[in-house]
Amino acid sequence: MPYRSPVSEYSFVLENVVDFAKIAETEKYAEATPDTVDAILTEVAKLADDKLAPLNRNGDLYPARLENGVVRTSKGFDEGFKAITEGGWVGLAAMPEYGGMGLPLTLNCAVNDMFAAANMSLGLNPLLTQGQIEALEHHAPEWMKEMYLPKLTSGEWTGTMNLTEPQAGSDVGALTSKAEPKGDDTYAITGQKIYISWGDHDFGGNVCHLVLARLPDAPAGTKGISLFMVPKYIPNDDGSLGDANSLRVVSLEHKMGIHGSPTCVMEFDGATGWLVGKENNGMAAMFTMMNNARLGVGIQGIGIAEGAMQHAIGYALDRKQGRTPLDGKDGGTGTILDHADVRRMVATMKADTFAARAIALACGVAIDMANATGEKSWDARAAFLTPIAKAFGTEVGIRVSELGVQVHGGMGFVEETGAAQYSRDVRVTAIYEGTNGIQAMDMVARKMIDGGDTANTLIDEIEATAEAARSTLPELGENVWQAAETLREATEWMADQGDLNERFAGAVPYLMGFARVLGAHYHLKAAMAEGDNGPRTRLARFYINRLLPEHVGHLAHAVTGAEDLYALTTEDLTA
């Protein structure tokens, strides 16, 4: 079963579940009309289905490789990337002043969802460039914007982010890369970075590295980090490529998945760089890029879930094995999809993918509304939803791809079926751009600095939807309302803890419990919009009756605190 982008699903969620129309009503995004959205989704779907998806297996079987200092990409990736750039899709949400379309990030999320489902390895390249574009739009000096943004927006040049160092890992403040002023407004950048996705390629053009480094006498920790633009080739004044910079790819990481995406160890040896933003303010500039990148990673997880689900359904509709209760009856397929457990797995895949996608697109709407209106309430909502969208989206991708292998049975463990690739490719999404544990700790700490007000506003909306559903879908409405009350109690407990470690001990289960309830909210909205006992209502009933109850265990875990964790001694854990 070849991949087919679920355009009608995006359209339904945007129109009926996350209220995308609010965005189009703003002056900033007035061009995001329904006709424009439909045209873009349709065109990108053709690209994803016909150009990118057929290359996905090539990326797995013929990984990127390093030859004589040059990264050679997987078979056909150059043509796939060319198709992305020719459509102008890298710059969909970029500023029109520099060649972008200026359309909402929410729409860009749907596009990246399709790219990830079709070919995550290749789709990662424009995702990184989009993040760099955003960082430069907000923090770069005007000359740098004029030099770099048009070429990044068109896809002629590509962008990376260089944070991690071997000794530092997620502790970015421990980085040791140096930036020495050269006296001409440039800096000599020296250091080594690891895990640099798409750090080099053979597509042509320039590879533009945003690098975190420390100036002489800078304060210790994150307060002493600055951000620099360090291109592979130093541009001439007219934007043409000049001399090669003093940087190189040391090696490529040998990874569990996304083999088509070259993950580089980069070495900078006195490379010429230019300051982006203010001295010692690099983390603020980088987080402009990273915050929306975290949503983008959640979208990658959702895209993989979609691809794995379609792959599993295709197999289940073809595989015949054993007798089922539906043999010879109307509605029976005569295949393993008629077995109760296979149907349970497929329904779980579909219900969770919908929930995660709705959460991610709702986060995109909040970001767009914040950008369009400047209202702090939208900013707060976007900030709160981002770790949920990232962590839940990637956990769903992992779980759905695992179920995809299980639906295939023994054949799922055989590489030729392609089911295992989804599971291997998606696994990294729970790790990069801040592990899911870091996302959860951020959610219960910084994102609750308001005492839980933003969280409770969302819970109020969930309960309002549940109340509205009582007349047409009373059982579902009641279940969602009760779940929201349990979530509110857990939220109040979290907000009351003065010791952050008490929150951190249950941060991940709290995030997952919140996501479970939020997913039920969006399923209920979908069922209410459908009106009849149709497929979305039946799927909502499955989610609310079977998956929503998981929130009870998650939230019970969340409010247990840290005492029993630390009662376990090192000897207990290593015995």
Side-chain angles (χ1 to χ4, degrees):
M1 179 180 177
Y3 170 72
R4 285 292 175 262
S5 299
V7 173
S8 61
E9 185 80 347
Y10 303 127
S11 298
F12 180 87
V13 174
L14 292 175
E15 181 179 351
N16 298 290
V17 179
V18 300
D19 204 3
F20 182 81
K22 284 182 180 177
I23 299 173
E25 292 170 359
T26 67
E27 182 179 354
K28 183 177 180 67
Y29 297 119
E31 293 185 9
T33 63
D35 287 346
T36 298
V37 171
D38 288 344
I40 287 173
L41 292 177
T42 300
E43 283 304 308
V44 173
K46 292 176 184 176
L47 168 62
D49 300 355
D50 301 337
K51 299 288 187 180
L52 305 186
L55 299 173
N56 193 37
R57 196 68 176 142
N58 282 354
D60 197 48
L61 297 176
Y62 308 102
R65 62 197 187 280
L66 184 63
E67 292 183 351
N68 300 319
V70 178
V71 172
R72 304 295 182 189
T73 52
S74 304
K75 291 168 59 174
F77 270 36
D78 55 345
E79 289 302 313
F81 183 75
K82 182 179 179 182
I84 292 172
T85 60
E86 286 179 343
W89 304 123
V90 179
L92 180 73
M95 294 171 64
E97 296 93 309
Y98 302 103
M101 298 186 197
L103 290 167
L105 176 70
T106 307
L107 182 56
N108 201 45
C109 287
V111 169
N112 287 330
D113 187 334
M114 289 187 264
F115 285 173
N119 192 325
M120 180 177 161
S121 289
L122 183 53
L124 185 54
N125 185 306
L127 183 68
L128 287 161
T129 301
Q130 289 165 358
Q132 185 172 114
I133 288 169
E134 186 178 26
L136 295 181
E137 286 176 347
H138 284 84
H139 299 283
E142 193 57 40
W143 72 264
M144 189 181 291
K145 293 179 184 179
E146 293 174 357
M147 172 70 75
Y148 285 87
L149 285 177
K151 294 182 183 297
L152 290 166
T153 298
S154 69
E156 181 180 347
W157 294 357
T158 61
T160 74
M161 52 196 299
N162 288 244
L163 291 79
T164 310
E165 296 183 5
Q167 80 289 346
S170 296
D171 183 9
V172 179
L175 67 81
T176 59
S177 292
K178 299 184 298 182
E180 298 282 348
K182 296 168 68 174
D184 59 356
D185 292 328
T186 68
Y187 299 79
I189 310 299
T190 300
Q192 189 175 97
K193 301 288 184 175
I194 60 173
Y195 305 146
I196 310 307
S197 299
W198 284 98
D200 193 31
H201 54 74
D202 53 2
F203 296 160
N206 212 350
V207 182
C208 307
H209 301 284
L210 284 182
V211 183
L212 289 178
R214 199 178 295 279
L215 290 164
D217 302 321
T222 57
K223 293 181 180 180
I225 295 174
S226 300
L227 182 66
F228 300 88
M229 169 61 76
V230 188
K232 179 180 179 180
Y233 296 104
I234 299 174
N236 296 315
D237 291 342
D238 63 0
S240 61
L241 298 182
D243 295 336
N245 211 343
S246 299
L247 56 87
R248 69 186 182 100
V249 180
V250 176
S251 62
L252 298 185
E253 305 286 3
H254 300 284
K255 300 171 298 186
M256 177 180 177
I258 53 170
H259 296 150
S261 169
T263 303
C264 304
V265 176
M266 298 295 304
E267 184 173 77
F268 300 88
D269 186 13
T272 299
W274 289 264
L275 184 66
V276 178
K278 298 178 181 179
E279 292 185 0
N280 302 324
N281 198 40
M283 289 304 293
M286 185 60 83
F287 267 107
T288 298
M289 178 177 181
M290 284 187 66
N291 281 335
N292 288 357
R294 286 170 170 172
L295 173 57
V297 172
I299 290 291
Q300 285 184 316
I302 296 159
I304 288 287
E306 180 69 41
M309 177 182 68
Q310 290 191 22
H311 204 72
I313 291 173
Y315 181 82
L317 285 171
D318 182 67
R319 174 69 167 163
K320 296 181 179 180
Q321 185 176 359
R323 293 183 58 82
T324 79
L326 296 181
D327 284 350
K329 297 180 180 179
D330 290 342
T333 66
T335 68
I336 63 170
L337 189 59
D338 293 345
H339 288 291
D341 192 55
V342 174
R343 188 158 292 205
R344 175 194 63 82
M345 288 190 286
V346 170
T348 299
M349 296 168 84
K350 193 169 185 66
D352 259 348
T353 300
F354 176 91
R357 179 174 285 132
I359 290 170
L361 292 177
C363 183
V365 168
I367 293 170
D368 286 326
M369 290 300 294
N371 289 336
T373 68
E375 294 177 9
K376 291 184 178 180
S377 60
W378 284 113
D379 265 327
R381 178 182 296 247
F384 190 83
L385 286 175
T386 295
I388 303 176
K390 193 276 186 183
F392 187 65
T394 58
E395 293 292 343
V396 164
I398 291 167
R399 180 58 178 152
V400 167
S401 62
E402 287 178 347
L403 285 172
V405 172
Q406 193 71 17
V407 169
H408 281 75
M411 294 305 295
F413 201 66
V414 175
E415 286 289 350
E416 284 77 4
T417 63
Q421 182 186 342
Y422 292 107
S423 191
R424 289 186 286 102
D425 284 353
V426 77
R427 188 60 187 84
V428 71
T429 61
I431 299 171
Y432 62 18
E433 301 304 335
T435 67
N436 287 356
I438 289 173
Q439 303 303 315
M441 289 189 289
D442 175 59
M443 178 184 175
V444 301
R446 267 181 289 189
K447 304 305 167 56
M448 279 194 171
I449 203 167
D450 61 0
D453 288 350
T454 301
N456 279 306
T457 297
L458 282 167
I459 295 169
D460 289 342
E461 293 178 13
I462 295 169
E463 291 190 345
T465 297
E467 287 287 355
R470 288 183 188 273
S471 60
T472 55
L473 299 165
E475 180 185 355
L476 300 186
E478 176 64 20
N479 288 346
V480 173
W481 194 90
Q482 292 294 344
E485 278 296 289
T486 304
L487 179 58
R488 191 185 299 279
E489 292 172 4
T491 299
E492 291 171 352
W493 184 93
M494 279 286 173
D496 285 344
Q497 304 310 303
D499 182 350
L500 284 181
N501 209 41
E502 294 293 312
R503 302 187 197 186
F504 292 161
V508 169
Y510 174 75
L511 185 151
M512 291 301 161
F514 206 115
R516 267 283 167 251
V517 180
L518 201 54
H521 166 63
Y522 291 127
H523 267 290
L524 187 57
K525 290 187 72 173
M528 293 168 68
E530 187 177 58
D532 298 321
N533 186 30
R536 297 185 187 281
T537 303
R538 291 191 290 272
L539 189 66
R541 184 169 289 111
F542 173 87
Y543 182 97
I544 292 169
N545 288 342
R546 293 174 179 264
L547 301 183
L548 175 60
E550 293 176 3
H551 81 280
V552 176
H554 286 312
L555 297 177
H557 184 167
V559 301
T560 299
E563 183 178 355
D564 60 343
L565 282 181
Y566 291 95
L568 288 163
T569 66
T570 302
E571 290 75 17
D572 292 338
L573 297 174
T574 58

